[in-house]
Amino acid sequence: MPLDESSFHIIAGKTIDALAEAIDAELGDDLDVEIEGEILTLDLADGGQYIVNKNAPLRQIWLSSPQSGAWHFAWDSEDECWRSTRGAPIDLTDLLADELEAVTGTHISF
C-alpha cells in the first residue's frame, strides 16, 4: 500500500537526514556532504556527485549516481525500506553503501 502524503514526508525526510548524518560521520573527510531543502548532495573528490531527494508527487526517493545513473525508490512497508522501482529488489541504503565503499574504500552502515 502506498504511503499517504504526510507519512511519505515524515519517512522520506527521516531517511534523507539519517543518510546525511551517517555519511558525514563516516566519510566526511573523503567527500563533501550538504543537505539543503531536503536535497542531499555528496560531492566526491574526483568531481562526481550523488544527489538524493524526495519526489513528493510520486512518493519516491530519487538517487542520481555518478556510478550507476538514476534510480527511483518506493517505500516497502513490509520490509520498511526504500526499494528500487526497476523491479530488482535493490534497497536504497544497500546501493548507496556499496557505491560509496567502492569510491572511498570505507564501509558505511546505515
Side-chain angles (χ1 to χ4, degrees), residues 7-23:
S7 296
F8 165 76
H9 284 290
I10 291 168
I11 295 170
K14 286 181 179 180
T15 299
I16 291 172
D17 288 344
L19 291 173
E21 288 178 27
I23 294 167

Side-chain angles (χ1 to χ4, degrees), residues 8-80:
F8 165 76
H9 284 290
I10 291 168
I11 295 170
K14 286 181 179 180
T15 299
I16 291 172
D17 288 344
L19 291 173
E21 288 178 27
I23 294 167
D24 193 38
E26 293 292 324
L27 303 173
D29 292 339
D30 298 321
L31 48 88
D32 290 327
V33 179
E34 183 179 325
I35 190 162
E36 185 175 320
E38 299 183 323
I39 299 172
L40 172 60
T41 304
L42 310 173
D43 291 315
L44 305 175
D46 68 2
Q49 184 179 67
Y50 285 87
I51 298 173
V52 181
N53 66 293
K54 297 191 310 187
N55 182 299
L58 296 177
R59 296 193 178 112
Q60 295 177 348
I61 290 182
W62 287 7
L63 168 68
S64 173
S65 162
Q67 305 298 314
S68 60
W71 291 83
H72 300 171
F73 297 88
W75 182 248
D76 179 338
S77 58
E78 186 175 317
D79 290 334
E80 295 189 346

